[in-house]
Amino acid sequence: MQPTFIASIRAVRRFALAAAIAGLCAAPAWAGGLDSLAQFVKDTRSGKATFTQVVTAPPKQGQKAREKTSTGTFEFQRPGKFRFHYQKPFEQTIVADGQTLWLYDVDLKQVTARKQEQVLGSTPAAIVAAASDLKALEKDFQLEGEPDQGGLQWVKATPKARDTQIQSVRVGFKPADGGATLAALEITDSFGQRSVLTFSDFQGNAALPASTFDFKPPAGVDVIRN
């Protein structure tokens, strides 16, 4: 019986090996997080999506962490143009037109304007919409690939500047045959606040009219220029 037992073990091992090889061949050869980031920055010149943002403030002693959820739309065009339109619970618009970053708070009837070059260097917007290639990002961020999680490929970006309020940014990409698409941003600031943006219905290289990134302060609002 011993030769038969040994032969059975060998047969099982051959079957397991063949199955493992078949599984590897059948599995899609997705790139890693860093490769997906490089491909996204290089090949995705514009895009639009809807988003949900959940901001979690550090819990106070004896209290639960507080969460605030917002929803809206996002559009961008390289290099350096984007629009976040927050629709709920409060309407707010953030527009970068290539020269100026505009923040319009509808409820406050206030617009804040700042020069882009002074504020976008080490921000999540630089990763998503401003940088033209991976080398440009590496000037401002330490980039590190992370293990896949939740069906997404992840990259952690840590600002090199010491005076930024951003502690780290995790970027999640959804792998696909046509190239990875932007799926999530997880931002942790120096105060311990965590902001998670989840993107849906992402359309890469979408045709966007130039007016998308035009902004003129509405009549009757206060305009603050920094």
Side-chain angles (χ1 to χ4, degrees):
M1 292 181 63
Q2 186 175 8
T4 303
F5 180 71
I6 294 174
S8 298
I9 293 178
R10 288 174 176 170
V12 170
R13 287 176 176 173
R14 286 196 296 269
F15 177 80
L17 179 60
I21 293 174
L24 287 173
C25 293
W30 307 124
L34 281 172
D35 289 334
S36 291
L37 174 61
Q39 172 264 318
F40 177 79
V41 171
K42 178 183 177 182
D43 297 336
T44 307
R45 310 311 300 172
S46 65
K48 62 180 181 179
T50 58
F51 71 87
T52 298
Q53 180 177 10
V54 179
V55 178
T56 305
K60 296 181 180 180
Q61 188 173 3
Q63 298 181 0
K64 293 183 179 180
R66 296 171 298 167
E67 290 187 353
K68 177 183 177 183
T69 301
S70 305
T71 59
T73 59
F74 168 63
E75 296 148 307
F76 76 92
Q77 181 177 298
R78 299 184 192 279
K81 295 183 179 182
F82 62 85
R83 173 186 288 266
F84 279 96
H85 182 204
Y86 288 82
Q87 298 167 335
K88 296 181 180 180
F90 306 106
E91 188 175 0
Q92 189 179 71
T93 302
I94 304 173
V95 179
D97 61 15
Q99 301 293 327
T100 303
L101 180 68
W102 303 91
L103 171 60
Y104 174 36
D105 192 308
V106 176
D107 289 343
L108 295 179
K109 295 183 178 180
Q110 179 176 289
V111 171
T112 302
R114 302 184 66 181
K115 292 183 178 180
Q116 280 187 218
E117 61 184 18
Q118 296 177 351
V119 293
L120 291 189
S122 298
T123 67
I127 300 174
V128 176
S132 57
D133 54 39
L134 207 60
K135 290 184 177 180
L137 275 179
E138 288 175 338
K139 293 179 180 179
D140 294 311
F141 294 92
Q142 178 68 42
L143 302 176
E144 179 183 0
E146 292 195 336
D148 293 1
Q149 182 182 7
L152 302 181
Q153 300 165 333
W154 292 92
V155 176
K156 182 179 181 180
T158 304
K160 293 181 178 180
R162 295 183 179 181
D163 57 349
T164 178
Q165 293 185 355
I166 301 298
Q167 188 178 79
S168 65
V169 181
R170 295 181 74 230
V171 190
F173 295 98
K174 184 177 182 179
D177 291 331
T181 60
L182 180 67
L185 282 175
E186 296 185 1
I187 307 159
T188 303
D189 66 23
S190 57
F191 303 102
Q193 180 172 267
R194 185 168 178 262
S195 179
V196 179
L197 288 92
T198 304
F199 299 95
S200 57
D201 301 322
F202 183 87
Q203 299 178 41
N205 292 316
L208 302 174
S211 59
T212 302
F213 310 104
D214 290 340
F215 182 83
K216 294 182 179 179
V221 303
D222 294 328
V223 179
I224 302 172
R225 297 183 181 273
N226 296 327

